[in-house]
Amino acid sequence: MFTRERHSPLPEWVIPMCYAATAVPAGMIIPRLEHRFLAVTSTLSSAVALTILSSITSGMIALTGIVFSLAFVMVQFSAVAYSPRLVAWISRDPVIWHSIGIFTATFLYAIGDMAWIDRSGSSGVPFLSSWVVIILTLASVGMFIALIQRLALLQVSRMLAFTGDLGRQVIERMYPSLETPASTARTDEFAKFQVTQTVVHSGGPQALQAVDMPALLALATQTSGRVEVLASVGDTLITGMPLLRVFGGDQLVKDETWKAAFETGPDRTFDQDPKYALRLLVDIAIKALSPAINDPTTAVQALDQIQDHLLRLGRRRLEIGAVRDREGTVRLVVPHPTWEDFLRLAFDEIRFCGATSVQVMRRMRALIRDLIEALPQERHPALEHHRERLNATIARSFADEEEKLEASVEDRQGLGVPRASREASFIVKK
């Protein structure tokens, strides 16, 4: 059973604030301690040292401005070219915030070091503090290079791989192998009990990001009841929307105690939401298929990642919603997406938006055939259903018989190396 991952409630801007809060006292204390206890001074003249430190401080301000500019470009580009839902993940990139923090720390510490040059007319230059500034400057250069490298993330292949990797991590973490017995609950296991408590959401709209199943199981056992969670991870919770029902409980638990097991926030996350990665991949695909962009090749690349996700999901046990206690009694039921839910999300919108694209239709036909050949028999009926819907879309979208035939060929590249399709002639006749 997977547990809820706790997220820090602190916003990202706290990172540079911590750097600044450390640099200010360090800039005041380290030179003072060095002046009192370490009788070592640099061989640089005070004029040269002041010139170097002045250049560093002014340069750090310029670099900080560049960081903000790059961050703005990354956020705007990802929102327009890919999906607005990717903006949150790019804007929270730790490289951006640590870069701002190191640049700020270098600027503040260098100012503190400048105050100890030629202190009281001694013409001395602190040796240790000067080296601290040099080290911070080198670290700033390294972070600036790392930040430039992050721009490569804006390439469509990198963006798709980035999103796909996040989804693959969730799949590997959440779902056991297909050989694992299904964990489901019969309807009669709850029907004989009365509802003893219902917990509803209060407050503004929030996305359900994660559910702490061990905590809910412990509360269900404590009350000797059965808990049915009514909201799925990824749902937007509205005031008054039910979160869970307790059946047959022998004691009431405060609503806030139940709600503590639900993590909510303004955006969906990947922690327990494998559909979210598919959602983003589909967003990128249908954005590319929009008349304003008209880039079916990007949609085909998104389908490559979608196929990998579906292949992994098809080899996993997706029925994991029922949790039993040691005696085998169902204590907790949490809704999870089914195989049909994943297929509907992966195919329907792309098939609709790419209905007139020969490239997309060919890639989708190859995708479905590859899944049928690679996955066990129990996954085939849903895939056959979507293949029939794809065939109907091709027959409806292309008036010319030759175009229908071209669109019905299976091709992993869309327009690359086609494979012979036994159904192509059948679709044309229809």
Side-chain angles (χ1 to χ4, degrees):
M1 187 194 312
F2 49 87
T3 59
R4 167 187 172 191
E5 292 189 5
R6 300 282 179 172
H7 295 278
S8 172
L10 299 177
E12 285 72 22
W13 56 263
V14 173
I15 296 176
M17 286 295 294
C18 290
Y19 277 96
T22 303
V24 169
M28 294 187 299
I29 294 173
I30 293 179
R32 186 180 298 273
L33 295 177
E34 182 182 2
H35 179 74
R36 177 172 296 184
F37 299 107
L38 187 61
V40 179
T41 59
S42 174
T43 57
L44 289 175
S45 67
S46 58
V48 172
L50 285 172
T51 302
I52 294 175
L53 292 176
S54 299
S55 301
I56 290 174
T57 53
S58 58
M60 289 303 107
I61 294 299
L63 281 177
T64 304
I66 292 174
V67 171
F68 276 110
S69 300
L70 291 176
F72 181 79
V73 168
M74 292 174 69
V75 168
Q76 289 295 107
F77 186 85
S78 63
V80 174
Y82 302 123
S83 169
R85 279 158 289 279
L86 280 170
V87 170
W89 294 96
I90 293 177
S91 63
R92 288 199 292 262
D93 192 332
V95 174
I96 296 176
W97 295 100
H98 284 287
S99 297
I100 297 174
I102 289 181
F103 298 160
T104 304
T106 305
F107 169 75
L108 294 173
Y109 187 87
I111 289 178
D113 189 34
M114 289 171 64
W116 286 88
I117 294 177
D118 197 16
R119 189 78 167 185
S120 301
S122 62
S123 301
V125 177
F127 177 80
L128 178 61
S129 298
S130 300
W131 272 104
V132 172
V133 174
I134 296 300
I135 292 173
L136 287 174
T137 303
L138 294 175
S140 299
V141 173
M143 290 303 297
F144 183 70
I145 294 173
L147 185 64
I148 296 298
Q149 290 293 325
R150 302 303 283 184
L151 289 177
L153 184 64
L154 296 181
Q155 298 176 7
V156 63
S157 57
R158 297 285 186 89
M159 186 63 70
L160 290 169
F162 165 76
T163 308
D165 288 342
L166 292 174
R168 281 182 280 273
Q169 293 172 13
V170 181
I171 294 171
E172 295 296 324
R173 185 172 64 248
M174 281 187 59
Y175 296 113
S177 64
L178 193 60
E179 291 73 24
T180 304
S183 178
T184 57
R186 303 188 308 273
T187 55
D188 61 343
E189 292 186 83
F190 279 32
K192 57 185 178 182
F193 297 99
Q194 295 292 327
V195 177
T196 57
Q197 188 173 0
T198 301
V199 180
V200 300
H201 173 70
S202 58
Q206 293 279 294
L208 180 56
Q209 297 175 339
V211 177
D212 192 341
M213 293 176 62
L216 291 177
L217 178 60
L219 289 172
T221 305
Q222 173 187 330
T223 60
S224 300
R226 283 83 175 161
V227 176
E228 178 187 16
V229 177
L230 301 175
S232 301
V233 173
D235 287 352
T236 298
L237 304 177
I238 310 297
T239 298
M241 182 179 294
L243 289 175
L244 60 83
R245 290 184 297 192
V246 182
F247 293 82
D250 59 9
Q251 59 178 296
L252 293 179
V253 176
K254 292 181 179 180
D255 286 0
E256 295 304 319
T257 303
W258 290 108
K259 291 180 182 180
F262 294 84
E263 182 171 324
T264 60
D267 304 302
R268 292 172 68 176
T269 64
F270 292 93
D271 293 337
Q272 295 180 11
D273 194 355
K275 290 182 69 176
Y276 189 43
L278 274 177
R279 174 71 272 165
L280 293 177
L281 291 171
V282 171
D283 280 351
I284 295 173
I286 61 179
K287 173 84 77 170
L289 292 171
S290 65
I293 298 178
N294 195 24
D295 180 16
T297 302
T298 294
V300 168
Q301 290 180 282
L303 285 168
D304 294 340
Q305 296 289 334
I306 290 171
Q307 177 175 344
D308 182 76
H309 278 211
L310 294 176
L311 186 63
R312 293 169 185 268
L313 288 165
R315 292 171 174 170
R316 296 279 177 161
R317 176 58 62 195
L318 306 180
E319 298 79 16
I320 59 173
V323 182
R324 301 176 182 270
D325 59 18
R326 295 180 179 178
E327 288 73 31
T329 302
V330 175
R331 291 292 181 187
L332 175 65
V333 174
V334 180
H336 286 86
T338 64
W339 176 239
E340 289 76 13
D341 294 332
F342 285 114
L343 292 182
R344 191 177 304 113
L345 173 60
F347 292 146
D348 283 1
E349 291 176 289
I350 298 178
R351 187 185 66 250
F352 176 80
C353 295
T356 58
S357 171
V358 173
Q359 188 175 356
V360 172
M361 293 295 100
R362 290 160 66 107
R363 179 65 185 95
M364 291 190 72
R365 283 187 54 81
L367 188 159
I368 293 177
R369 178 174 176 178
D370 288 342
L371 290 177
I372 291 175
E373 292 177 350
L375 295 179
Q377 184 65 36
E378 63 182 275
R379 304 299 190 198
H380 290 185
L383 289 169
E384 293 288 357
H385 170 71
H386 280 277
R387 180 152 66 179
E388 292 176 3
R389 296 189 66 183
L390 184 61
N391 292 342
T393 298
I394 294 173
R396 181 176 61 251
S397 301
F398 297 91
D400 184 79
E401 299 300 321
E402 185 175 352
E403 288 182 350
K404 287 182 182 180
L405 184 63
E406 286 293 323
S408 302
V409 174
E410 296 165 358
D411 189 339
R412 291 193 179 101
Q413 298 179 36
L415 292 173
V417 182
R419 294 185 296 181
S421 174
R422 291 171 292 182
E423 298 182 12
S425 59
F426 173 73
I427 296 173
V428 171
K429 291 177 182 178
K430 289 177 64 177

